[in-house]
Amino acid sequence: MNTKVALLEARKLTKYYNVTRGIMFSSVARVKAVDGVSFAVSQGEGFGLVGESGCGKTTTGKLILLLEKPTSGQIVFCGKDVASLTGKELADYRKSVQPVFQDPFSSLNPRMRVGDIICEPLVARDSPPRAAVKQRLQDVLQEVGLAPRSASLYPHEFSGGQRQRIALARALISRPQCLVLDEPVSALDTSIRAQIINLIMGIQERHGLSYLMIAHDLSVVRHMTTKTAVMYLGKIVEMSETRDLFGHPLHPYTRALLAAVPQLKPGSMQKLGLVEGEVPSPLDIPPGCRFHPRCRFVMAICRESEPELRMAAGQHQVACHLEF
Ligand code: SF4
């Protein structure tokens, strides 16, 4: 039985975009980018969200960061529906859930000094005393392995790995409870990736942080998380303890992904996109099971009826008509 306390929950979260045409912007289609996604990230847990490009994992992250508004569903943080938060409570949520994005260069303002970039979230929200900000800045620089003098430099004076350390420092300065890490190492050189992965895991351990790790890289998710959900065309098709999911994958999509990757070693950075056949357009989602045009176990029922995510064994959930 899972007795961990959920810090952050997505409950039946959806995000649909209308596709419009003509000068009247009449709606001609709907893209279901996120289509009824539910999961829970426990206190102190690393939770992985994996899937091919366009599966909805980044949009899910944006919904959690309140960068996009859900079409329906709930985000629940510490037991409270985030949609009901206003004023200080809403500001506290934004402070508690911090992002780190893939490209540290484009997410850092090139005209600001690093110290100002890092302190911006703290100063903008709390206006704390200068001395306290200065001390906190030195603490987070040390935490992410940057020299104190880094504060007076500009982002272009740093390497890619160092810039991601700056992005981490900016996320950590307001003492968050949860990080949303969207492909945090995929833009980095192989030699640097392991350093940043170890840095994030060390910080998580020291502070009991939770994180949602969004990645298309199976080895990163396997190494950094204790629970994993696999997304396909806007839906979660499999979710389990990471060790169980990688050791005993059930869904044909997950099995095909793992079969296409013979060795999953940290640092080897095995990427998705190896399953045969193209991902269907989100504008034209296949009826029944969304994976059926690519599935080698497809049955008649799969073309008509969409399988629900169900408990298969222990805490292992799968959305498939096959018997497990
Ligand atoms: Fe394959 Fe059918 Fe399972 Fe979908 S429901 S993954 S088509 S066996």
Side-chain angles (χ1 to χ4, degrees):
M1 197 171 71
N2 189 357
T3 51
K4 285 186 181 171
V5 180
L7 177 71
L8 176 73
E9 288 178 75
R11 293 186 186 165
K12 295 184 177 169
L13 213 50
T14 68
K15 180 64 184 174
Y16 299 162
Y17 297 99
N18 285 327
V19 179
T20 57
R21 197 166 57 197
I23 54 167
M24 301 301 288
F25 297 105
S26 36
S27 180
V28 289
R30 233 173 178 206
V31 174
K32 295 181 175 182
V34 177
D35 198 12
V37 161
S38 299
F39 60 84
V41 182
S42 301
Q43 198 98 44
E45 176 180 69
F47 186 101
L49 207 51
V50 293
E52 289 166 291
S53 183
C55 70
K57 58 190 190 301
T58 288
T59 306
T60 303
K62 284 182 179 169
L63 294 172
I64 285 167
L65 289 165
L66 309 184
L67 300 174
E68 296 267 6
K69 204 171 173 223
T71 305
S72 64
Q74 287 177 304
I75 297 158
V76 177
F77 188 72
C78 295
K80 281 193 174 172
D81 183 351
V82 171
S84 71
L85 304 180
T86 54
K88 186 179 176 316
E89 280 191 323
L90 183 59
D92 283 347
Y93 173 75
R94 291 185 190 277
K95 208 163 81 176
S96 298
V97 182
Q98 287 285 322
V100 177
F101 295 111
Q102 175 180 4
D103 182 354
F105 200 53
S106 67
S107 62
L108 303 176
N109 187 335
R111 284 181 291 276
M112 284 173 73
R113 288 183 196 275
V114 161
D116 295 332
I117 291 173
I118 294 173
C119 293
E120 198 182 26
L122 195 64
V123 176
R125 287 179 194 132
D126 294 345
S127 313
R130 270 179 90 117
V133 174
K134 222 170 157 186
Q135 184 56 53
R136 182 77 192 128
L137 173 62
Q138 291 310 316
D139 290 348
V140 288
L141 284 173
Q142 190 179 23
E143 177 100 61
V144 300
L146 288 172
R149 71 176 198 92
S150 308
S152 58
L153 304 177
Y154 290 91
H156 72 267
E157 296 177 84
F158 294 85
S159 67
Q162 286 172 325
R163 285 199 289 262
Q164 203 54 305
R165 287 175 193 266
I166 296 168
L168 256 175
R170 182 184 157 93
L172 292 173
I173 194 132
S174 44
R175 296 189 170 87
Q177 290 174 269
C178 183
L179 300 178
V180 176
L181 306 164
D182 190 354
E183 306 277 10
V185 296
S186 59
L188 303 177
D189 291 344
T190 311
S191 58
I192 307 297
R193 286 174 185 166
Q195 291 176 17
I196 300 298
I197 287 171
N198 291 337
L199 176 66
I200 294 170
M201 292 178 75
I203 290 167
Q204 180 205 20
E205 216 174 288
R206 281 195 295 282
H207 299 286
L209 268 179
S210 306
Y211 56 73
L212 178 66
M213 164 62 77
I214 296 167
H216 63 280
D217 190 316
L218 294 168
S219 61
V220 168
V221 170
R222 187 180 197 180
H223 188 61
M224 293 187 68
T225 68
T226 51
K227 206 165 174 193
T228 298
V230 180
M231 281 188 80
Y232 186 76
L233 275 178
K235 285 207 176 254
I236 290 177
V237 295
E238 185 161 5
M239 181 159 60
S240 180
E241 300 290 327
T242 300
R243 190 182 300 179
D244 194 25
L245 188 134
F246 281 82
H248 308 282
L250 299 179
H251 196 281
Y253 177 57
T254 316
R255 281 150 69 179
L257 287 175
L258 294 178
V261 181
Q263 297 239 320
L264 285 172
K265 292 180 185 162
S268 63
M269 303 297 136
Q270 303 290 353
K271 293 179 179 176
L272 303 187
L274 299 167
V275 178
E276 278 184 26
E278 292 292 311
V279 183
S281 163
L283 277 170
D284 190 20
I285 290 178
C289 171
R290 295 166 185 220
F291 187 58
H292 87 249
R294 300 169 83 188
C295 182
R296 63 192 188 93
F297 302 100
V298 62
M299 304 171 282
I301 187 176
C302 306
R303 296 188 175 88
E304 289 157 18
S305 159
E306 182 158 34
E308 293 291 326
L309 195 65
R310 64 184 163 91
M311 207 60 87
Q315 295 294 313
H316 203 135
Q317 291 175 268
V318 63
C320 176
H321 292 304
L322 289 172
E323 293 290 332
F324 297 106

